[in-house]
Structure formats: structure tokens, C-alpha cells
Amino acid sequence: MRSVDLLVFDLDGTLVRSDEDLAAGVNHALKAVGMPLLPLETIRGFIGDGIPVLMRRALGPHASEWFSRSIELFNGYYSEHLLDHTALYPDVPDVLDHFDRKQKVIVTNKTEAFALKITHALGIAPRFREIIGEGAVPFKKPDPRLLQLVMEKWGATPERTVVIGDGVNDVLLGKQAGALSCACLNGITGRERLLALSPDLTCESLSDLKSLLC
């Protein structure tokens, strides 16, 4: 087992299953600007780098023409529908209870206002020292300066910090900042993409953390 003082969690695909609501927001925007809708599996492959990048990927060659309008449409729709299907993964409450005495932070590339709304509505916000989303600081995952700010604020060293997430950016964030990386293989990103990055730890479900970390 690895001994840690600070657990840094991703949000989408790690703590919450949110791909359906994100996809609905994307397709709402695409439909409104007259573009064809995209299947869920395609949109899942676009998630992880924040909403602006998500929409650019969905728009493809039409991004320059429709980007600003699509962002407005997405944000307007998603703000009202971000909890239609989004829910905690079943083992999240138990895992948070298990690590109750550890410092825990959420770091996500999701717009911070959306991240706060979801975590408060699902009852997990009080379990974390801090919830950092896009727009809160000048950096986003996988920029190591983001994790360095978090570790400095909460008095943790890289050797005793672990980044837990289902995305490429989560593994890279941990590695580039000298912290431990733990890839969640049951999230949005394909497991082979994550394993190719050689994360320090892997978990098939979040419950595995209880036997990996102390």
C-alpha cells in the first residue's frame, strides 16, 4: 500500500457518471446551429479537456463558424440539465468514508460553477477541502503547476500526493508534478489509452483504493 496525505480526485468519469448529460448538451447546441447530432460514444471521446475543447471537437471543421454560439447554447442548456442523469458511482460514498481523515480535493477541467452545482446537489461537496474547476486558477490539467498550487496550499509533498482519475490528463498531471498517479479504468476513457501511460496505480473501481492507499 502507498501512504498518502492528499488525494486529488477527478470528477467526470471518476466520482460521477455524467457523460449522458454532457452529450445531451453538446447535441442540443449542434441541433440549434443546424449540425447533425453525434452518438454518445463519439462525444465520450471528446470529454476531459473542458467544455470549450469539447465543443470544438464536436463542431469539427465548423468550429470557427459556430464556436461562440455553440458555447452559449451548451452552457444555457447544461446549466438546467446537468443533473438529469448524472449520479455518483455507487462506491463513492463508501470510499469517501474510508478516507474521511485524509485531505481530499477535486480538480476538474469542468467549468467550476457546474462542478460546484453537481457536487453540492449530490451531497459530496462537504467531503472535500476544495473543488477546483476551470476558471478558478490560471492552469488546467495536465499542467503540473495546477497540482503544485494544490499541494502547496494543503501542505502535501508530491511523494505523498495521489491523483485519481479516469482521464489521460489525470495520469499526466500526477506524473508531471512528481506525484503518484492512479488510473480509474471503469470511467469514460478507454482502459488501453490509460494503461499505455504506465500509471503508478490502477483501479477497476474506486473501491480498489481502499487496498491501494493508506
Side-chain angles (χ1 to χ4, degrees):
M1 297 179 75
R2 303 292 188 96
S3 182
V4 296
D5 299 319
L6 176 63
L7 288 77
V8 178
F9 287 88
D10 175 45
L11 182 61
D12 297 296
T14 301
L15 296 171
V16 302
R17 182 69 180 263
S18 56
D19 50 346
E20 288 187 52
D21 289 334
L22 286 166
V26 169
N27 278 328
H28 171 80
L30 293 177
K31 181 178 180 180
V33 299
M35 290 186 59
L37 306 187
L38 296 174
L40 174 61
E41 283 305 311
T42 298
I43 296 173
R44 280 169 62 93
F46 297 159
I47 295 171
D49 293 299
I51 289 167
V53 177
L54 171 63
M55 283 310 311
R56 284 193 183 279
R57 289 169 175 164
L59 289 165
H62 301 282
S64 59
E65 180 181 4
W66 292 113
F67 176 72
S68 296
R69 178 60 178 149
S70 294
I71 288 291
E72 292 175 4
L73 290 163
F74 177 95
N75 286 339
Y77 178 90
Y78 189 65
S79 65
E80 299 297 325
H81 296 275
L82 49 71
L83 290 162
D84 285 0
H85 302 285
T86 294
L88 296 176
Y89 282 99
D91 47 2
V92 168
D94 178 60
V95 170
L96 295 182
D97 285 343
H98 182 82
F99 293 106
D100 186 58
R101 296 187 179 184
K102 297 288 186 181
Q103 296 191 109
K104 297 179 293 297
V105 173
I106 292 175
V107 173
T108 174
N109 282 342
K110 194 184 203 80
T111 303
E112 186 169 89
F114 294 152
L116 290 172
K117 187 172 182 178
I118 289 170
T119 52
H120 279 282
L122 298 181
I124 61 170
R127 311 297 298 273
F128 294 89
R129 293 294 185 94
E130 189 173 17
I131 298 169
I132 301 172
E134 185 172 33
V137 295
F139 317 114
K140 59 186 289 188
K141 297 186 293 188
D143 191 322
R145 291 173 292 181
L146 173 55
L147 188 56
Q148 288 161 2
L149 286 175
V150 173
M151 292 188 294
E152 181 178 347
K153 181 173 183 177
W154 299 109
T157 62
E159 296 78 14
R160 295 183 65 87
T161 297
V162 59
V163 179
I164 302 157
D166 75 306
V168 169
N169 284 333
D170 302 305
V171 177
L172 293 178
L173 178 66
K175 285 182 170 294
Q176 292 175 8
L180 293 171
S181 58
C182 180
C184 298
L185 303 179
N186 65 329
I188 295 172
T189 304
R191 61 189 294 124
E192 296 306 321
R193 288 185 65 197
L194 295 173
L195 292 174
L197 298 172
S198 300
D200 298 296
L201 304 167
T202 61
C203 57
E204 296 291 343
S205 70
L206 217 57
S207 292
D208 292 346
L209 294 176
K210 295 187 292 183
S211 61
L212 294 172
L213 305 172
C214 63

